[in-house]
Each structure stands twice: as C-alpha cells, then as structure tokens.
Amino acid sequence: HQLGINSGSQLQRKIASNLSEDGASEIEMVTEINDELSRPDESVQIGGSRVIKVCAHKWENGQLHFKVSMSDNETTWESLRDLREDYPRLVAQYIVDHQVTRSTRGSNRTLQWAKKVVRDLERSIR
C-alpha cells in the first residue's frame, strides 16, 4: 500500500516537472476549446464585459498591445500577456491574420506561438 502512495507522488512530481510553458498553454487551451464547443446557454459570464474583437495593435516599449472591443461597446488597449492568457484563440488568430511581428524576416516567438495555437485549435475541432 505504501508503494502505491509513493508511485502516485512520484508520478505527480514527474508530471509537474515536465509541464513546460507550452504544456500550461495546452491545458488552458482545453478550457477554451470546451468553452468554444459549449452551448451558448451554458456559458456563464461573471463580472463585467469580455473582449469580442481585436481591432488594432501597437508596439510600446518593446511590448505588444492590442486595441480591443469589449462586449459593453467600450474599446481599450490590453497587453499581449493579458490577452494571451484570457483569449488565446482570439489574439492568436489576429496575430496570424495580420502577420504581427517585430522581425523583418517575418518570424519570431509571438508569431510562432500564434501559428501553433491556430493550428492546434483547428486540429482539435475537426
């Protein structure tokens, strides 16, 4: 019986140690996919408005920011960090569609991340 407890604990540590930033993104995407495939009457909106569209982008002090339309008809500038966490599909699709990159060669980590998110979501929805 003691062996089972240790094995489970070791497995949990191994899983936790193998969970990279990409792994965390994949877990967050599962929630987004489930939300995307859920019936509209099941969605629960808690507190305030939500982002409905990315309108524009700008680079400010080396950081990427997006002008977004909110469900309460307001617009605001939000950081990539916040949108990437809360609305990965929406911001990734915008980045891919508009080829948002700081690189003159057309490839960087942000664009690569966005392409991967779009590709993974398309594969999971098929």
Side-chain angles (χ1 to χ4, degrees), residues 1-18:
H1 194 268
Q2 182 67 23
L3 179 62
I5 292 171
N6 287 337
S7 296
S9 179
Q10 289 172 349
L11 178 61
Q12 288 173 341
R13 281 194 299 271
K14 183 176 181 179
I15 290 169
S17 69
N18 288 334

Side-chain angles (χ1 to χ4, degrees), residues 21-37 84-90 92 113-125:
E21 183 177 299
D22 287 339
S25 296
E26 288 173 15
I27 290 170
E28 291 169 3
M29 286 176 28
V30 169
T31 302
E32 185 171 290
I33 291 167
N34 289 337
D35 291 346
E36 184 72 24
L37 299 176
R84 183 176 172 169
E85 182 176 324
D86 296 334
Y87 300 96
R89 180 186 52 82
L90 190 66
W113 166 82
K115 287 179 179 179
K116 182 180 184 309
V117 168
V118 170
R119 182 195 69 217
D120 290 350
L121 285 170
E122 286 173 354
R123 285 180 181 170
S124 66
I125 292 175

Side-chain angles (χ1 to χ4, degrees), residues 26-82:
E26 288 173 15
I27 290 170
E28 291 169 3
M29 286 176 28
V30 169
T31 302
E32 185 171 290
I33 291 167
N34 289 337
D35 291 346
E36 184 72 24
L37 299 176
S38 297
R39 295 187 345 225
D41 58 341
E42 291 178 333
S43 68
V44 176
Q45 185 176 341
I46 299 173
S49 62
R50 60 183 178 85
V51 173
I52 56 172
K53 180 182 176 186
V54 178
C55 305
H57 68 277
K58 68 179 179 181
W59 292 92
E60 191 173 278
N61 298 324
Q63 300 294 315
L64 184 55
H65 295 270
F66 296 92
K67 185 176 183 180
V68 296
S69 295
M70 307 297 283
S71 60
D72 63 359
N73 296 324
E74 296 289 321
T75 57
T76 183
W77 286 94
E78 300 292 336
S79 70
L80 171 62
R81 175 178 286 151
D82 292 340

